[in-house]
Amino acid sequence: VDTYLDVLQRSLQAMMATIADINVSWLSAHAKYHTLAHVVENIREFGPAVLYMSEKFESFNKVMRNHTVHTNRHGPSVDVARRFTRYAVVRPRLSGGMF
């Protein structure tokens, strides 16, 4: 594991140097680059990065926001729940009875 993390650290440093050569402002403008700077320490402390990735939940927030925008604003949680219920009913039919 230590060998892998050392290789990962060197690769991330090379990537950051390349990005800095292209456009230094990218490094400070995007939070993901700052997160990458600490990923090796985080892996040592918290385990594999897959265990603390948030992209799946961030994309679900987009789905929730889109459903909330298209409601009558009187009961957005009820409207969202009804829409997800329709998806739950339609999904098995479209997949041939499989979930």
Side-chain angles (χ1 to χ4, degrees):
V1 172
D2 288 332
T3 305
Y4 165 75
L5 291 176
D6 291 339
V7 170
L8 178 63
Q9 182 70 39
R10 285 193 303 273
S11 299
L12 288 172
Q13 288 172 345
M15 184 191 76
M16 294 289 194
T18 302
I19 291 169
D21 288 341
I22 295 170
N23 189 348
V24 146
S25 65
W26 285 355
L27 293 176
S28 61
H30 300 286
K32 297 273 184 183
Y33 292 126
H34 180 77
T35 303
L36 282 175
H38 300 287
V39 76
V40 173
E41 297 135 21
N42 291 342
I43 290 172
R44 287 185 204 274
E45 187 172 345
F46 302 114
V50 173
L51 299 177
Y52 55 90
M53 290 178 11
S54 63
E55 282 80 10
K56 180 169 42 169
F57 301 108
E58 290 173 2
S59 65
F60 185 69
N61 286 339
K62 179 181 177 185
V63 171
M64 289 296 290
R65 184 180 63 244
N66 286 339
H67 288 321
T68 305
V69 166
H70 300 294
T71 65
N72 62 9
R73 303 278 196 253
H74 294 291
S77 60
V78 173
D79 295 337
V80 170
R82 286 182 180 152
R83 187 165 293 178
F84 278 113
T85 301
R86 282 188 296 234
Y87 288 156
V89 169
V90 171
R91 185 176 174 192
R93 291 181 187 168
L94 293 176
S95 65
M98 305 291 285
F99 285 94

